[in-house]
Amino acid sequence: MKRRSLFLTITASMGFIFLYAPIIALIVYSFNKSKLVTVWGGWSLKWYSELFKNQQIIDAALVSLKIALVSASLAVVLGTMAGFVLSRMGRFRGKMILSGWITAPLIMPEVITGLSLLLLFVAMEGMFGWPAGRGTGTIIIAHTTFCMAYVAVIVQSRLASMDETLEEAAMDLGAKPSTLFFLVTLPLIAPALISGWLLSFTLSLDDLVIASFVSGPGNSTLPMVIFSKVRLGVTPEVNALATIMIAIVAIGVLVAMYQMRRQTKLTSE
Amino acid sequence: MGHGQQCGFDLMSIPSGSAWIDKSASGMARYNLFRGVNWGRLGVIAVPGLWLGIFFFIPFLVVFKISLSESAIAVPPYSAMLEWDLEEAYATFKLNFGNYIYLFEDTFYLDAYISSVKIASVSTLITLIVGFPIAYLIARSKPSMRVVLLSLVILPFWTSFLLRVYAWMGFLKKNGIVNEFLLSTGIIDQPLIMLQTDFAVYIGIVYTYLPFMILPLYTALEKMDLTLLEAAEDLGSRPYQSFFLVTLPLAVPGIIAGCLLVFIPAVGEFVIPSLLGGSDTLMIGRVLWDEFFLNRDWPMASAVAIVMLVVLVLPVMLIRNAQGKEEVHS
């Protein structure tokens, strides 16, 4: 019994090293003075100042943030509606189709989603003159579409695991459906909406493939700029950018983890 | 309940697969009391339905239509299928199956489909082997430790996918960290070529999708009744026998869910083969991308997408549905 648990600890630790070694190396080398990415030339913040002087990267980051904010918010509204319809509205015609459409974007290869949306936009422009050209607007539509599927699934599972008695009580006390939703259901599923929004925001900020298909000239998102830079090889500026992004996410997750840990301690005591 | 905790549970509920089960049939139709034409209700159903219909479903019809047209030097670069000649007052309707015929005649495309399935399956298997001990360790540790370890698994998932793939470029290249280390310890005397090979693609896929494997495995292993292992031991089973005869069969739902979650995105992957793979690493996602962006052959790219949809995506959807139904029955 003892020997197996040692074996388990070793293999699992190797797994964690595998998960973290490249990230740690990336962070360390972002502080490297030398331009040659693998030769260590002493500590320096040179690449960070270079990064903030790079107007192309800053512009792209702003475009990406704008798209992520808008599409995450739209995705939460539409995804919540979809998740709610599927788990609380009983049977209706077309329900199977809707639930199929909700889960399909989750397993659709990105290249297909990107291509199909681009072809739709081109066809629509030919027919009604909208959307005129492609850019931020078309990327927002595309990101909203695949993010709302994630939100819908999160909301649906939250509603499914939720006790219905509070909603029943509100109904018994004469609440109209809209009152019931906004005053009872919505506050109860708020945590699911927050994680859905965060997930959508991250997915949108990170998407390269779909954005490349549906964006227009002069509307490069951050992943598109990073991709065109790293395709040619490793660049220290991108290391610096990656470090900043990883730091932000790590702080967020650490805060969440601290809270969860406190919660589990409280409940187990 | 704190947000943090909800975040954790929601992340886990995505891969567990249970969210796809339709639970509303069990008399949950509270909002259904207002019978008759209910415009509010209709509106709430119609908005997400219309959005998905227009921006998710109709696009596939457009792709199918364009896959049947001919490539042309025009804006947009394909010929119209239906042409109206107003003066002569007749319409010509052209269907062009040429793209599909070409797709099956040129072995390049077939090779790309097969190679994608091969690369995705092998890396799914490796991910399972790498992920299982981690999931097992987490499931058997103390509750407070579980939260820490799970967060460590989820953390990379929240950071940029593109940058994580990029991190491996610095790791695997000719004068990269792995080679420098192996050279300095004297294990090898000349650098290994790892970047731009299939090996790098396998590493990239395993690395990227490891959290997708670990979370459903953890969910399955955590639910397991540990007294079963004690019973097996009392009956004289050796640890490895208990593992293969008790633990592994009980983890099967998690294994299936995890494998699907890794295989599905891996098979259509574009970023990993194009950054880590060599020019000879054939994957269908990359072929579609090149067909579209480099050759500007929109009809051919559409045909590749349609075949991919029918051959690779539909079977996976059917397996998933079948699995969901099984869970409902049990």
Side-chain angles (χ1 to χ4, degrees):
Chain A
M1 216 46 195
K2 195 82 196 156
R3 218 182 65 229
R4 198 189 62 181
S5 66
L6 183 69
F7 168 77
L8 184 67
T9 316
I10 290 170
T11 43
S13 323
M14 276 166 64
F16 277 109
I17 291 171
F18 173 69
L19 270 179
Y20 280 93
I23 297 179
I24 290 165
L26 188 86
I27 293 171
V28 170
Y29 276 95
S30 77
F31 295 105
N32 186 5
K33 202 183 242 163
S34 165
K35 189 168 175 60
L36 293 166
V37 185
T38 44
V39 179
W40 185 254
W43 297 89
S44 149
L45 288 174
K46 189 165 93 184
W47 303 114
Y48 289 86
S49 68
E50 291 281 315
L51 176 70
F52 289 112
K53 277 185 234 152
N54 189 329
Q55 199 56 43
Q56 192 198 8
I57 288 185
I58 292 174
D59 287 345
L62 291 176
V63 169
S64 278
L65 280 175
K66 192 172 89 179
I67 292 172
L69 282 172
V70 178
S71 37
S73 309
L74 276 174
V76 165
V77 175
L78 289 167
T80 307
M81 287 172 95
F84 183 80
V85 163
L86 289 179
S87 54
R88 283 289 192 273
M89 284 225 169
R91 295 170 187 283
F92 57 87
R93 213 172 290 164
K95 182 168 180 173
M96 284 297 288
I97 295 174
L98 186 65
S99 75
W101 285 352
I102 287 287
T103 51
L106 303 175
I107 59 171
M108 201 51 74
E110 287 171 316
V111 281
I112 296 187
T113 312
L115 176 76
S116 65
L117 271 166
L118 171 80
L119 295 181
L120 174 84
F121 290 141
V122 170
M124 280 170 83
E125 194 181 358
M127 278 202 253
F128 330 107
W130 183 90
R134 288 176 300 280
T136 333
T138 46
I139 302 176
I140 288 175
I141 292 177
H143 283 183
T144 305
T145 308
F146 83 88
C147 289
M148 74 180 272
Y150 286 89
V151 178
V153 168
I154 293 176
V155 167
Q156 208 184 343
S157 69
R158 171 84 183 136
L159 282 171
S161 68
M162 210 174 77
D163 192 5
E164 264 195 295
T165 46
L166 280 171
E167 285 163 291
E168 278 168 19
M171 288 293 282
D172 288 346
L173 294 170
K176 280 188 290 184
S178 57
T179 323
L180 171 61
F181 179 75
F182 286 105
L183 291 184
V184 181
T185 313
L186 201 60
L188 284 172
I189 58 170
L193 300 195
I194 291 169
S195 41
W197 192 90
L198 285 173
L199 185 62
S200 304
F201 185 80
T202 320
L203 289 170
S204 165
L205 209 57
D206 201 22
D207 166 62
L208 165 76
V209 174
I210 296 174
S212 301
F213 275 99
V214 299
S215 83
N219 272 298
S220 295
T221 61
L222 191 58
M224 287 162 74
V225 171
I226 294 174
F227 185 68
S228 64
K229 275 185 171 301
V230 303
R231 209 169 199 184
L232 308 169
V234 179
T235 57
E237 276 176 13
V238 175
N239 286 359
L241 179 70
T243 305
I244 294 173
M245 289 172 75
I246 290 167
I248 295 171
V249 171
I251 291 167
V253 172
L254 283 176
V255 170
M257 188 175 95
Y258 175 74
Q259 287 231 318
M260 270 165 79
R261 207 174 172 188
R262 228 180 39 185
Q263 288 277 345
T264 31
K265 271 196 183 144
L266 283 177
T267 44
S268 62
E269 265 163 20
Chain B
M1 190 183 277
H3 296 157
Q5 188 161 9
Q6 192 51 48
C7 275
F9 282 121
D10 280 335
L11 265 179
M12 271 167 268
S13 66
I14 299 172
S16 73
S18 60
W20 277 273
I21 304 165
D22 187 58
K23 284 182 179 153
S24 59
S26 55
M28 274 196 181
R30 300 282 165 249
Y31 287 82
N32 211 3
L33 288 181
F34 297 84
R35 284 279 173 196
V37 180
N38 184 333
W39 294 106
R41 178 184 147 91
L42 194 65
V44 176
I45 296 174
V47 171
L50 278 177
W51 181 285
L52 284 170
I54 295 171
F55 296 117
F56 183 73
F57 181 67
I58 293 181
F60 291 118
L61 302 181
V62 179
V63 173
F64 186 61
K65 193 200 107 179
I66 288 170
S67 75
L68 293 173
S69 64
E70 260 173 86
S71 178
I73 301 171
V75 181
Y78 53 87
S79 65
M81 190 191 287
L82 194 59
E83 273 171 6
W84 292 94
D85 193 326
L86 289 177
E87 283 174 13
E88 300 282 324
Y90 74 96
T92 37
F93 186 66
K94 277 189 288 189
L95 274 186
N96 170 33
F97 291 99
N99 295 316
Y100 289 96
I101 294 166
Y102 189 66
L103 205 61
F104 289 107
E105 273 178 355
D106 193 336
T107 52
F108 172 76
Y109 297 100
L110 189 66
D111 289 347
Y113 284 112
I114 292 171
S115 154
S116 302
V117 172
K118 195 196 99 192
I119 291 178
S121 328
V122 172
S123 26
T124 305
L125 192 67
I126 302 174
T127 316
L128 177 64
I129 294 167
V130 175
F132 203 94
I134 303 182
Y136 194 89
L137 184 84
I138 299 175
R140 296 287 169 271
S141 46
K142 281 183 291 181
S144 61
M145 196 61 197
R146 272 185 214 170
V147 177
V148 177
L149 292 176
L150 274 180
S151 309
L152 278 174
V153 169
I154 295 169
L155 179 67
F157 166 78
W158 285 92
T159 63
S160 166
F161 156 67
L162 183 59
L163 291 174
R164 274 182 292 141
V165 175
Y166 163 73
W168 278 99
M169 290 175 72
F171 230 60
L172 293 178
K173 64 193 183 110
K174 202 175 165 199
N175 54 354
I177 292 158
V178 173
N179 269 325
E180 295 283 315
F181 175 75
L182 291 177
L183 283 173
S184 69
T185 52
I187 295 172
I188 52 169
D189 46 356
Q190 50 185 349
L192 300 169
I193 306 294
M194 290 178 288
L195 194 60
Q196 296 182 337
T197 60
D198 285 3
F199 170 71
V201 175
Y202 287 127
I203 290 214
I205 295 177
V206 173
Y207 181 71
T208 310
Y209 297 114
L210 193 57
F212 290 130
M213 181 63 87
I214 294 177
L215 292 181
L217 282 180
Y218 163 79
T219 317
L221 289 171
E222 193 243 6
K223 274 191 293 198
M224 204 181 115
D225 186 353
L226 288 180
T227 52
L228 290 173
L229 284 181
E230 282 171 28
E233 206 182 347
D234 289 347
L235 294 170
S237 158
R238 291 173 177 280
Y240 73 89
Q241 284 176 319
S242 316
F243 176 78
F244 284 107
L245 295 176
V246 180
T247 311
L248 209 56
L250 286 172
V252 164
I255 293 174
I256 295 174
C259 287
L260 280 178
L261 281 168
V262 175
F263 181 83
I264 294 164
V267 81
E269 190 53 59
F270 162 73
V271 175
I272 296 173
S274 65
L275 287 184
L276 299 178
S279 50
D280 58 338
T281 306
L282 261 187
M283 286 195 79
I284 198 66
R286 200 177 172 193
V287 168
L288 194 157
W289 177 285
D290 289 346
E291 208 64 70
F292 183 84
F293 285 101
L294 302 182
N295 302 345
R296 290 195 62 75
D297 191 341
W298 292 17
M300 196 65 212
S302 305
V304 171
I306 292 292
V307 173
M308 198 170 160
L309 206 62
V310 174
V311 176
L312 299 178
V313 181
L314 278 185
V316 166
M317 280 175 103
L318 293 177
I319 294 175
R320 248 196 123 121
N321 272 349
Q323 211 207 343
K325 283 199 185 104
E326 243 168 57
E327 273 182 49
V328 170
H329 287 307
S330 64

